[in-house]
Amino acid sequence: MTDRLPHEKGFHVSWDQLHRDARALAWRLQGQGPDEGAWRAVVAITRGGMAPAMIVARELDIRVVDTISVKSYNHQTQAAPKIIKSPDMDVIGDGTGVLVIDDLVDTGKTIEAVRRHMPKAQIATVYAKPMGRPQVDTFITEVSQDTWIFFPWDMALQYVKPYRGTD
Ligand SMILES: O=P(O)(O)OC[C@H]1O[C@H](OP(=O)(O)OP(=O)(O)O)[C@H](O)[C@@H]1O
Ligand SMILES: Nc1nc2[nH]cnc2c(=O)[nH]1
Ligand SMILES: [Mg+2]
């Protein structure tokens, strides 16, 4: 178990923002596949990669969608990443023409494990921190290493007190 650096800042992502950023990722990946620009399949890194992978698959009209499950974090503490479910290797092969999608790269350890599994795949994330950035082929937004990204599925709308009280 490695205790991670403290996260001084929070970056809170709404569904709307995630949708726009995942669409931007699809836009960037479009036409980059090896078969006349097309991609054969999408593999989502569960669980955080599933929503962005769905949006990318929809935008790029990719109907073959699979998952790879990597377990490493327990809340904000990281252990060695372990692949606990692989995609269908008959379909995915060495990853040629396959897009692997995750919500973010932080230390890059999750993607390192995935890349060993599918060395020829194109790996893309919506958000990237500097440490993991070299591990991904494509990303949309960089956030600093001391920032924790909060995704819409981790949050709920709640009341916020006004700056100036009336009582
Ligand atoms: O670059 P790394 O330091 O390896 O961290 C990035 C990974 O951590 C988070 O997943 P997590 O393991 O928390 O699981 P989840 O997607 O199921 O929430 C995130 O969704 C990435 O997959
Ligand atoms: N939600 C979330 N999961 C992570 N896993 C590794 N880094 C992060 C992060 O910044 N936010
Ligand atoms: Mg994840």
Side-chain angles (χ1 to χ4, degrees):
M1 282 278 193
T2 354
D3 271 330
R4 302 167 45 73
L5 295 170
H7 296 94
E8 293 192 353
K9 299 173 219 148
F11 179 59
H12 297 81
V13 182
S14 67
W15 281 112
D16 191 49
Q17 183 69 50
L18 182 81
H19 195 180
R20 270 185 280 133
D21 289 341
R23 270 197 168 142
L25 186 63
W27 183 262
R28 195 161 290 173
L29 293 165
Q30 115 170 280
Q32 306 292 315
D35 182 14
E36 290 179 10
W39 297 99
R40 246 172 5 96
V42 166
V43 172
I45 304 179
T46 68
R47 294 156 300 174
M50 294 174 85
M54 176 266 156
I55 295 162
V56 168
R58 187 265 179 189
E59 293 303 329
L60 302 185
D61 194 28
I62 304 166
R63 303 293 173 144
V64 178
V65 180
D66 207 335
T67 55
I68 182 165
S69 304
V70 186
K71 174 136 183 31
S72 61
Y73 282 90
N74 197 357
H75 299 292
Q76 296 191 13
T77 307
Q78 191 178 34
K82 216 168 108 190
I83 294 180
I84 55 175
K85 186 258 166 198
S86 300
D88 182 346
M89 295 320 265
D90 290 343
V91 178
I92 301 306
D94 62 3
T96 304
V98 173
L99 273 179
V100 176
I101 306 288
D102 207 353
D103 50 0
L104 72 102
V105 60
D106 185 326
T107 62
K109 291 212 163 79
T110 301
I111 281 175
E112 225 177 272
V114 170
R115 209 181 267 291
R116 275 199 296 275
H117 221 65
M118 289 174 273
K120 297 270 175 67
Q122 172 96 1
I123 303 187
T125 61
V126 185
Y127 306 106
K129 299 189 193 179
M131 220 174 136
R133 205 186 135 157
Q135 301 282 350
V136 292
D137 300 305
T138 316
F139 69 94
I140 294 299
T141 301
E142 181 162 344
V143 301
S144 63
Q145 202 65 43
D146 60 352
T147 296
W148 189 260
I149 303 170
F150 291 92
F151 287 103
W153 46 88
D154 292 324
M155 296 185 292
L157 284 177
Q158 63 173 359
Y159 174 75
V160 178
K161 269 172 75 169
Y163 294 143
R164 213 175 129 86
T166 49
D167 47 19

